Coordinates of all heavy atoms in Angstrom, one line a residue:
Chain B
K630 N 122.5 196.9 152.2 CA 121.3 197.5 151.7 C 121.5 199.0 151.4 O 122.4 199.6 152.0 CB 120.2 197.3 152.7 CG 120.2 198.1 153.9 CD 118.9 197.9 154.7 CE 118.7 199.2 155.5 NZ 117.8 199.2 156.6
E631 N 120.6 199.5 150.5 CA 120.7 200.9 150.1 C 120.0 201.7 151.1 O 118.9 201.4 151.5 CB 120.1 201.0 148.7 CG 121.0 200.4 147.7 CD 120.5 200.7 146.3 OE1 119.5 201.2 146.0 OE2 121.3 200.4 145.3
R632 N 120.6 202.9 151.4 CA 119.9 203.8 152.4 C 119.8 205.2 151.7 O 120.8 205.7 151.2 CB 120.8 203.9 153.7 CG 120.1 204.5 154.8 CD 121.1 204.6 155.9 NE 121.2 203.4 156.7 CZ 120.4 203.1 157.7 NH1 119.5 203.9 158.1 NH2 120.6 201.9 158.4
D633 N 118.6 205.6 151.8 CA 118.3 206.9 151.1 C 118.8 208.1 152.0 O 118.6 208.0 153.2 CB 116.8 207.1 150.9 CG 116.3 206.2 149.7 OD1 117.1 206.1 148.7 OD2 115.2 205.7 149.8
V634 N 119.4 209.1 151.4 CA 119.8 210.2 152.1 C 118.9 211.4 151.6 O 118.9 211.8 150.5 CB 121.3 210.6 151.7 CG1 121.8 211.9 152.4 CG2 122.2 209.4 152.1
G635 N 118.1 211.8 152.6 CA 117.1 212.9 152.2 C 117.7 214.3 152.1 O 118.9 214.5 152.5
I636 N 116.9 215.2 151.7 CA 117.3 216.6 151.6 C 117.8 217.1 152.8 O 117.1 217.0 153.9 CB 116.1 217.4 151.0 CG1 115.9 217.1 149.5 CG2 116.5 218.9 151.1 CD1 114.8 217.9 148.9
G637 N 119.0 217.7 152.8 CA 119.6 218.3 154.0 C 120.2 217.3 155.0 O 120.8 217.7 156.0
E638 N 120.2 216.1 154.6 CA 120.7 215.0 155.4 C 122.2 214.8 155.1 O 122.6 215.0 154.0 CB 120.0 213.7 155.2 CG 119.6 212.9 156.4 CD 118.9 211.7 156.1 OE1 117.8 211.7 155.5 OE2 119.5 210.6 156.4
V639 N 123.0 214.3 156.1 CA 124.4 214.0 155.9 C 124.6 212.6 156.5 O 124.1 212.4 157.7 CB 125.2 215.1 156.7 CG1 126.7 214.6 156.9 CG2 125.3 216.4 155.9
R640 N 125.2 211.7 155.8 CA 125.4 210.4 156.3 C 126.7 209.8 156.0 O 127.2 209.9 154.9 CB 124.3 209.5 155.8 CG 124.2 208.1 156.5 CD 123.1 207.3 156.2 NE 123.3 206.0 156.9 CZ 122.9 205.8 158.2 NH1 122.2 206.7 158.8 NH2 123.1 204.7 158.8
V641 N 127.4 209.3 157.1 CA 128.7 208.8 156.9 C 128.7 207.4 157.4 O 128.0 207.0 158.4 CB 129.8 209.6 157.7 CG1 131.1 208.9 157.9 CG2 130.0 211.0 157.1
S642 N 129.5 206.5 156.8 CA 129.6 205.1 157.2 C 130.9 204.5 157.0 O 131.6 204.8 156.0 CB 128.5 204.3 156.5 OG 128.6 202.9 156.9
H643 N 131.4 203.7 157.9 CA 132.6 203.0 157.7 C 132.3 201.5 157.5 O 133.2 200.7 157.4 CB 133.7 203.3 158.7 CG 133.2 203.1 160.1 ND1 133.7 203.9 161.2 CD2 132.3 202.3 160.7 CE1 133.1 203.5 162.3 NE2 132.2 202.6 162.0
N644 N 131.1 201.2 157.7 CA 130.7 199.8 157.4 C 130.3 199.7 156.0 O 129.9 200.7 155.4 CB 129.5 199.4 158.3 CG 129.8 199.5 159.8 OD1 130.9 199.1 160.2 ND2 128.9 200.2 160.5
P645 N 130.3 198.5 155.4 CA 129.8 198.4 154.0 C 128.4 198.9 154.0 O 127.5 198.2 154.5 CB 130.0 196.9 153.7 CG 130.9 196.4 154.7 CD 130.7 197.2 155.9
E646 N 128.2 200.0 153.3 CA 126.8 200.6 153.3 C 126.7 201.3 151.9 O 127.7 201.9 151.5 CB 126.5 201.5 154.4 CG 125.1 201.9 154.5 CD 124.7 202.7 155.7 OE1 125.5 203.6 156.1 OE2 123.7 202.3 156.4
V647 N 125.5 201.2 151.3 CA 125.3 201.9 150.1 C 124.4 203.0 150.3 O 123.3 202.8 150.8 CB 124.8 200.9 149.0 CG1 124.4 201.7 147.7 CG2 125.9 199.8 148.7
L648 N 124.8 204.2 150.0 CA 124.0 205.4 150.2 C 123.4 205.8 148.9 O 124.1 205.8 147.9 CB 124.8 206.5 150.9 CG 125.5 206.1 152.2 CD1 126.3 207.3 152.7 CD2 124.5 205.8 153.3
R649 N 122.2 206.4 148.9 CA 121.5 206.6 147.7 C 120.7 208.0 147.8 O 120.1 208.2 148.8 CB 120.6 205.5 147.4 CG 119.9 205.5 146.0 CD 119.1 204.2 145.9 NE 117.9 204.4 146.7 CZ 116.8 203.8 146.3 NH1 116.6 203.1 145.3 NH2 115.7 204.0 147.1
I650 N 120.8 208.7 146.7 CA 119.9 209.9 146.5 C 119.1 209.7 145.2 O 119.7 209.6 144.2 CB 120.7 211.2 146.6 CG1 121.4 211.5 147.9 CG2 119.7 212.4 146.3 CD1 122.2 212.7 147.9
V651 N 117.8 209.6 145.4 CA 117.0 209.3 144.2 C 116.4 210.6 143.6 O 116.0 211.5 144.3 CB 115.8 208.4 144.7 CG1 114.6 208.5 143.8 CG2 116.3 207.0 144.8
G652 N 116.5 210.6 142.3 CA 115.8 211.7 141.5 C 116.3 213.1 141.8 O 115.6 214.0 142.2
L653 N 117.6 213.2 141.7 CA 118.2 214.5 142.0 C 118.0 215.5 140.8 O 118.4 215.2 139.7 CB 119.7 214.2 142.2 CG 120.6 215.1 143.0 CD1 120.1 215.2 144.4 CD2 122.0 214.5 143.0
G654 N 117.6 216.7 141.1 CA 117.4 217.7 140.0 C 118.4 218.8 140.2 O 119.6 218.6 139.9
S655 N 118.0 219.9 140.8 CA 119.0 221.0 140.9 C 119.7 220.9 142.3 O 120.7 221.6 142.5 CB 118.3 222.3 140.8 OG 117.0 222.2 141.4
C656 N 119.3 219.9 143.1 CA 120.1 219.6 144.3 C 121.4 219.0 143.9 O 121.6 218.5 142.8 CB 119.3 218.6 145.2 SG 117.9 219.4 146.1
V657 N 122.3 218.9 144.9 CA 123.7 218.4 144.6 C 124.0 217.3 145.6 O 123.8 217.5 146.9 CB 124.7 219.5 144.7 CG1 126.1 219.0 144.6 CG2 124.5 220.5 143.5
A658 N 124.6 216.3 145.2 CA 125.1 215.2 146.0 C 126.6 215.4 146.2 O 127.3 215.5 145.2 CB 124.8 213.8 145.4
V659 N 127.0 215.5 147.5 CA 128.5 215.6 147.7 C 128.9 214.3 148.4 O 128.4 213.9 149.5 CB 128.8 216.8 148.7 CG1 130.3 216.9 148.8 CG2 128.1 218.0 148.2
A660 N 129.9 213.6 147.8 CA 130.4 212.4 148.4 C 131.8 212.7 148.9 O 132.6 213.3 148.2 CB 130.4 211.3 147.4
L661 N 132.2 212.3 150.1 CA 133.5 212.3 150.6 C 134.0 210.9 150.8 O 133.2 210.0 151.3 CB 133.6 213.2 151.9 CG 133.3 214.7 151.8 CD1 133.5 215.4 153.1 CD2 134.1 215.4 150.7
Y662 N 135.3 210.7 150.7 CA 135.8 209.3 150.8 C 137.3 209.3 151.3 O 138.1 210.1 150.7 CB 135.7 208.6 149.5 CG 136.2 207.1 149.6 CD1 135.5 206.2 150.4 CD2 137.2 206.7 148.8 CE1 135.9 204.9 150.5 CE2 137.6 205.4 148.8 CZ 137.0 204.5 149.7 OH 137.4 203.2 149.7
D663 N 137.6 208.5 152.2 CA 139.0 208.3 152.6 C 139.4 206.9 152.3 O 138.9 206.0 152.9 CB 139.1 208.5 154.2 CG 140.6 208.2 154.7 OD1 141.3 207.6 153.9 OD2 140.9 208.7 155.8
P664 N 140.2 206.7 151.2 CA 140.5 205.4 150.7 C 141.3 204.5 151.7 O 141.2 203.3 151.6 CB 141.3 205.7 149.5 CG 141.8 207.0 149.5 CD 140.9 207.8 150.4
I665 N 142.0 205.1 152.6 CA 142.8 204.3 153.5 C 141.9 203.8 154.7 O 141.9 202.6 155.0 CB 144.0 205.1 154.1 CG1 144.9 205.7 153.0 CG2 144.9 204.3 155.1 CD1 145.6 204.7 152.1
A666 N 141.2 204.8 155.3 CA 140.3 204.4 156.4 C 139.0 203.7 155.9 O 138.3 203.1 156.6 CB 139.9 205.6 157.2
R667 N 138.8 203.8 154.6 CA 137.6 203.2 154.0 C 136.3 203.8 154.6 O 135.4 203.0 155.0 CB 137.6 201.7 154.0 CG 138.7 201.2 153.1 CD 138.6 199.6 153.0 NE 139.3 199.2 151.8 CZ 138.7 198.6 150.7 NH1 137.4 198.5 150.7 NH2 139.4 198.3 149.7
V668 N 136.3 205.1 154.8 CA 135.1 205.7 155.3 C 134.6 206.6 154.2 O 135.3 207.3 153.5 CB 135.6 206.6 156.5 CG1 134.4 207.5 157.0 CG2 136.1 205.8 157.7
G669 N 133.3 206.5 154.1 CA 132.6 207.3 153.0 C 131.4 208.0 153.5 O 130.8 207.5 154.5
G670 N 131.0 209.1 152.9 CA 129.7 209.7 153.3 C 129.1 210.5 152.1 O 129.8 210.9 151.2
L671 N 127.9 210.9 152.3 CA 127.1 211.6 151.3 C 126.2 212.7 152.0 O 125.7 212.5 153.0 CB 126.2 210.5 150.6 CG 125.6 210.9 149.2 CD1 126.7 211.1 148.2 CD2 124.7 209.7 148.8
A672 N 126.2 213.8 151.3 CA 125.4 214.9 151.7 C 124.4 215.3 150.6 O 124.8 215.2 149.4 CB 126.2 216.1 152.1
H673 N 123.2 215.8 150.9 CA 122.2 216.1 149.9 C 121.9 217.6 150.0 O 121.1 218.0 150.9 CB 121.0 215.3 150.2 CG 119.9 215.4 149.2 ND1 118.9 214.5 149.1 CD2 119.7 216.2 148.2 CE1 118.1 214.8 148.1 NE2 118.5 215.9 147.5
V674 N 122.6 218.4 149.3 CA 122.5 219.8 149.4 C 121.3 220.4 148.6 O 121.1 220.0 147.4 CB 123.8 220.5 148.8 CG1 123.7 222.0 148.8 CG2 125.0 220.1 149.7
M675 N 120.6 221.3 149.1 CA 119.4 221.8 148.5 C 119.6 223.3 147.9 O 119.2 223.5 146.8 CB 118.3 221.9 149.6 CG 117.0 222.4 149.1 SD 115.8 222.3 150.5 CE 114.3 222.9 149.6
L676 N 120.3 224.1 148.7 CA 120.4 225.5 148.3 C 121.8 226.0 148.5 O 122.5 225.5 149.4 CB 119.5 226.4 149.1 CG 118.0 226.3 148.7 CD1 117.1 227.0 149.8 CD2 117.7 226.9 147.3
P677 N 122.3 226.9 147.6 CA 123.7 227.4 147.8 C 123.9 228.1 149.1 O 124.9 227.9 149.8 CB 123.9 228.4 146.6 CG 122.5 228.7 146.1 CD 121.6 227.5 146.5

Side-chain angles (χ1 to χ4, degrees):
Chain B
K630 76 170 209 201
E631 292 188 348
R632 193 182 280 269
D633 287 321
V634 179
I636 288 181
E638 223 183 298
V639 160
R640 191 172 175 88
V641 166
S642 178
H643 50 213
N644 301 316
E646 190 170 49
V647 173
L648 303 178
R649 187 175 77 147
I650 298 178
V651 155
L653 204 58
S655 37
C656 286
V657 171
V659 187
L661 294 184
Y662 181 63
D663 176 341
I665 307 294
R667 290 185 162 249
V668 172
L671 198 60
H673 187 165
V674 174
M675 181 178 182
L676 287 168

